[in-house]
Amino acid sequence: MVLVINTHADPSPQGYWKSVLPNTRMPKAVTDLLHPAECIEQKCTLATTDKGNMGDEKVKPGDVNDVVVGQNGVGVKTERSGKRTTVGVGKGGIIVNTIHKGKPVFVGVKPGPSPFVYFYGATADQLLDNPNHALFFLEKDLNKGSNMTLHFMKKTSNESVSSSFLPRKVANYIPFSSRKFPEILNYLLAMKSDSINVDLMNQTIKECEEPAIKGEEKYCATSLESMIDFATSKLGKHVQAFSTDITRESNSQEFTITRVKKIADDSKAVLCHKQNYAYAVFYCHMTNTTKAYMVFLAGADGAKAKAYVACHTDTSSWNPNHLAFQVLKVKPGTVPVCHYLPEDHIVWVQN
């Protein structure tokens, strides 16, 4: 049997956006994570077993038959034999090969602590030659005419579907806690706990549970509605939301900055970083020392991008072993550190 959560009384995520932010345009990072027919009949279904509500029973992963959210939502099927099911976790982003004195630094990030969670130091696996996440550079390099080697990677449609937004009522029903991780797996994955996907999900929850660094306000949004509420609680309802957009996927190449426009001064931006999870979860945070920029880029092969950059002017509270310091060879609190936002991340600023 399945448990049906009736969301008829609640607006869809799209409807909530329109009701709270009627004059704010949805960025592509949001529209890519919305189902075309999300809960089209105002119903969303979650998996249960023949015993009933999984929240009230101890259920083995192999007992779960189906997990369905909306028409094309989180779809997981397992056999009662307990065979492993793979759930895709979206990859991609922007890679920055920042040009410094001497040899250019080209550093990658593998699954592990998020580079956008400044509580953590870098792991050995994050310092690789084949990058797949956004990296860091200095604010002094953010000028018209500057060149950087970048690699923009678009997500596939399958990756987008695999981690789309759940309506808040559904997301709130599913636990989001390291203490209840086995229960989460019962709801969503029905897979063995040694799966790399499980590791990524567990890492995401742990990052969300870590304390904020000094001067940071953080929140992990498990639905679009909760992300809207956090951003507007910090910035008010007269806001804009932006995400990086490119004309086409391109190989790693030299991009030239053709225009730079500041869109937010210190403390006037909320950054929301998409996390590795079975549905859309965003790590949102605001500090008192963040600037945001809109940057127009032209690639050597003709590709163009309108990208967004966050610059942190005070990094004194970051982990001294954070990836940024290892890449840039600078010390905490000495110089402003910047990073491009991958395409599936969002920056919120006041109008």
Side-chain angles (χ1 to χ4, degrees):
M1 61 176 293
V2 295
L3 172 69
V4 177
I5 295 180
N6 192 333
T7 62
H8 181 75
D10 300 321
S12 66
Q14 301 97 310
Y16 190 77
W17 180 291
K18 292 178 182 178
S19 66
V20 177
L21 304 171
N23 300 314
T24 302
R25 183 174 177 270
M26 275 189 181
K28 190 172 185 296
V30 171
T31 58
D32 281 351
L33 298 176
L34 294 172
H35 301 307
E38 187 165 11
C39 296
I40 192 167
E41 296 178 354
Q42 298 301 325
K43 290 183 179 179
C44 298
T45 58
L46 292 175
T48 66
T49 68
D50 293 338
K51 296 180 180 179
N53 188 338
M54 292 172 63
D56 299 325
E57 300 286 345
K58 292 183 178 179
V59 183
K60 296 179 181 179
D63 291 337
V64 178
N65 296 319
D66 301 273
V67 176
V68 183
V69 180
Q71 183 173 346
N72 296 306
V74 177
V76 179
K77 286 190 175 182
T78 63
E79 302 296 334
R80 284 192 174 271
S81 63
K83 291 182 180 179
R84 181 175 303 176
T85 301
T86 299
V87 176
V89 177
K91 298 179 180 178
I94 306 168
I95 303 99
V96 180
N97 182 2
T98 310
I99 300 175
H100 303 287
K101 295 179 181 178
K103 187 178 179 180
V105 178
F106 200 36
V107 182
V109 180
K110 280 193 123 182
S114 168
F116 305 109
V117 179
Y118 309 124
F119 180 90
Y120 289 104
T123 64
D125 286 344
Q126 287 180 310
L127 299 174
L128 298 172
D129 293 330
N130 183 22
N132 58 12
H133 279 78
L135 298 181
F136 299 85
F137 60 97
L138 301 179
E139 189 178 26
K140 68 180 182 63
D141 297 322
L142 192 62
N143 299 299
K144 181 179 179 179
S146 294
N147 297 321
M148 292 183 182
T149 299
L150 310 175
H151 186 186
F152 295 89
M153 293 185 294
K154 287 195 170 184
K155 317 295 180 294
T156 67
S157 59
N158 287 338
E159 286 172 337
S160 296
V161 168
S162 71
S163 56
S164 298
F165 282 115
L166 299 185
R168 173 156 50 186
K169 196 167 186 178
V170 178
N172 287 349
Y173 187 86
I174 302 172
F176 191 80
S177 166
S178 57
R179 293 185 298 104
K180 296 185 176 181
F181 197 66
E183 186 177 339
I184 294 171
L185 298 186
N186 285 339
Y187 275 107
L188 293 176
L189 296 180
M191 63 165 60
K192 294 181 180 179
S193 61
D194 62 350
S195 166
I196 182 62
N197 294 36
V198 170
D199 292 339
L200 289 174
M201 288 177 59
N202 203 14
Q203 177 69 35
T204 289
I205 293 177
K206 288 182 177 180
E207 289 176 358
C208 289
E209 293 176 340
E210 292 287 1
I213 63 174
K214 183 179 178 180
E216 177 191 40
E217 296 180 79
K218 57 173 282 191
Y219 175 73
C220 279
T222 58
S223 66
L224 178 58
E225 297 94 319
S226 60
M227 187 202 304
I228 293 170
D229 288 351
F230 179 78
T232 55
S233 72
K234 304 305 175 187
L235 303 174
K237 293 185 178 180
H238 299 289
V239 295
Q240 298 179 76
F242 301 107
S243 62
T244 292
D245 195 14
I246 64 175
T247 55
R248 66 175 183 270
E249 185 172 356
S250 64
N251 295 323
S252 177
Q253 63 177 295
E254 186 174 87
F255 279 80
T256 300
I257 296 176
T258 60
R259 181 186 171 196
V260 177
K261 178 183 178 182
K262 184 184 290 185
I263 59 173
D265 288 316
D266 290 358
S267 76
K268 298 298 182 183
V270 170
L271 304 176
C272 291
H273 307 290
K274 190 169 183 293
Q275 303 298 292
N276 291 316
Y277 212 69
Y279 53 89
V281 171
F282 281 79
Y283 180 100
C284 298
H285 60 154
M286 186 177 80
T287 67
N288 297 326
T289 55
T290 300
K291 300 177 184 177
Y293 294 88
M294 179 189 300
V295 181
F296 294 85
L297 300 160
D301 69 351
K304 294 182 179 180
K306 182 167 68 173
Y308 291 87
V309 168
C311 291
H312 303 278
T313 59
D314 183 3
T315 60
S316 58
S317 297
W318 293 20
N319 188 311
N321 295 316
H322 188 272
L323 180 64
F325 303 135
Q326 297 199 37
V327 170
L328 301 176
K329 307 303 180 185
V330 298
K331 294 183 179 181
T334 56
V335 292
V337 171
C338 304
H339 60 82
Y340 282 91
L341 292 180
E343 290 176 81
D344 53 359
H345 295 206
I346 302 165
V347 55
W348 296 80
V349 299
Q350 292 178 323
N351 283 336

